[in-house]
Amino acid sequence: CYQAYGNTYEIVFNNEMNDEITNAVREGNFLWEEEKAYIDLLPDSGTFVDIGANIGTISLMLGAKGWHGLCFEASRCNVECLNKSIRLNNYSIDVENVAIGDENKTIAFIENGPWGSIKNELVEYDLQFGMHAFQGGIKEIKVPEISLDTWEKNNANRLHSIEFIKMDIEGSEFFALCGMKGFLEGYSYPPILSEVNGYNLFTYGIRPIQLFKLFKEIGYIPYKLDGNKLRDSCIKIRNCFKIILAVNL
């Protein structure tokens, strides 16, 4: 069990997994203090979208805060765990088993626990040499990819408002952002909590500076929490791994 915002909640996991996140949940450890610091800034209720929800460590925390929302997750195993958690905690959260990108097609997805990725040559090389591998659970599946612009056209008025977006999709953030420009405009450019991982972006031929520039083109400024204050995030082209809050100004 976990506690947040005066509520207790549980996270369901696949007991066959042996990755960092599963082990933390199994042992009751909390690895998401940085993300929680940003969630602390949010009001007590609202609607969120979680792009790359994994087993729901962030979505369920938002549920405990009083939020409802929509999760997108490509891994079927993670989706199964997340749906069980939602039912167990009685949260108002929907889950869709799709990958978010800039096109609408069927893709090869590597299920790899918290490091699941859309397949490409560098991801395959990474897995082959065990950089992100753990015991069991690594397999290739076919899943639909959809852009959020297309999703919105197919689901008009399903979400009346969005106050917060979290995005962590192992290097595919650039392409997801390319495919959601109209979606973001339609929902008045909600703040986006995004991972920026230089290595993961590199596996898709993208540099961190390109992701920051795309945020800027859409009208977002990246911020980083410094104590209890948001400050402009320093852009480092190399060795970049950080969580940023992109805010439209």
Side-chain angles (χ1 to χ4, degrees):
C1 291
Y2 288 94
Q3 290 188 337
Y5 309 110
N7 292 306
T8 299
Y9 64 98
E10 296 190 48
I11 302 175
V12 175
F13 59 92
N14 184 340
N15 203 40
E16 295 180 0
M17 297 294 104
N18 191 33
D19 60 273
E20 180 182 9
I21 290 178
T22 300
N23 288 337
V25 175
R26 181 183 287 117
E27 296 167 8
N29 296 326
F30 190 81
L31 301 180
W32 308 280
E33 290 291 352
E34 185 174 5
E35 290 89 343
K36 184 178 181 300
Y38 288 96
I39 294 173
D40 288 346
L41 302 175
L42 299 174
D44 291 337
S45 63
T47 303
F48 70 87
V49 169
D50 189 347
I51 305 170
N54 199 271
I55 60 173
T57 54
I58 305 304
S59 289
L60 297 172
M61 194 192 316
L62 284 161
K65 191 174 175 73
W67 284 57
H68 62 275
L70 174 63
C71 297
F72 295 100
E73 171 58 40
S75 166
R76 293 170 190 158
C77 179
N78 289 344
V79 165
E80 182 179 345
C81 290
L82 179 51
N83 276 321
K84 289 179 180 179
S85 292
I86 292 168
R87 290 193 295 269
L88 183 64
N89 294 291
N90 196 29
Y91 288 158
S92 180
I93 300 173
D94 293 328
V95 184
E96 294 204 13
N97 188 193
V98 298
I100 299 300
D102 60 345
E103 297 183 271
N104 306 302
K105 59 185 180 181
T106 299
I107 60 166
F109 183 82
I110 305 296
E111 279 196 323
N112 188 23
W115 301 293
S117 303
I118 295 173
K119 184 180 179 181
N120 63 40
E121 290 183 2
L122 283 174
V123 168
E124 198 167 29
Y125 178 88
D126 187 351
L127 291 173
Q128 181 181 352
F129 288 92
M131 294 174 68
H132 279 169
F134 56 88
Q135 294 178 357
I138 302 176
K139 60 182 178 180
E140 180 180 326
I141 62 173
K142 299 292 184 182
V143 297
E145 176 189 300
I146 189 170
S147 72
L148 283 180
D149 286 348
T150 298
W151 182 90
E152 175 59 22
K153 291 177 183 177
N154 296 339
N155 295 272
N157 300 319
R158 181 173 169 185
L159 296 174
H160 298 293
S161 65
I162 299 173
E163 286 76 42
F164 180 70
I165 296 174
K166 169 256 178 182
M167 179 167 62
D168 181 357
I169 44 179
E170 302 304 312
S172 295
E173 290 83 5
F174 180 89
F175 302 105
L177 199 56
C178 285
M180 69 171 83
K181 294 178 181 178
F183 175 87
L184 293 172
E185 181 180 10
Y187 287 102
S188 302
Y189 299 101
I192 304 173
L193 186 69
S194 178
E195 180 183 83
V196 181
N197 184 316
Y199 176 77
N200 287 343
L201 290 167
F202 170 74
T203 63
Y204 297 96
I206 301 297
R207 293 175 297 155
I209 189 69
Q210 292 173 270
L211 180 59
F212 280 107
K213 285 183 176 179
L214 181 57
F215 270 119
K216 185 176 180 180
E217 288 172 10
I218 299 174
Y220 282 90
I221 304 298
Y223 288 92
K224 186 80 175 168
L225 262 181
D226 181 7
N228 60 355
K229 294 183 179 181
L230 288 172
R231 302 189 186 278
D232 286 0
S233 181
C234 177
I235 299 174
K236 294 182 180 179
I237 297 177
R238 297 180 180 178
N239 301 324
C240 182
F241 178 80
K242 61 177 68 180
I243 294 171
I244 58 106
L245 182 68
V247 180
N248 179 263
L249 298 175

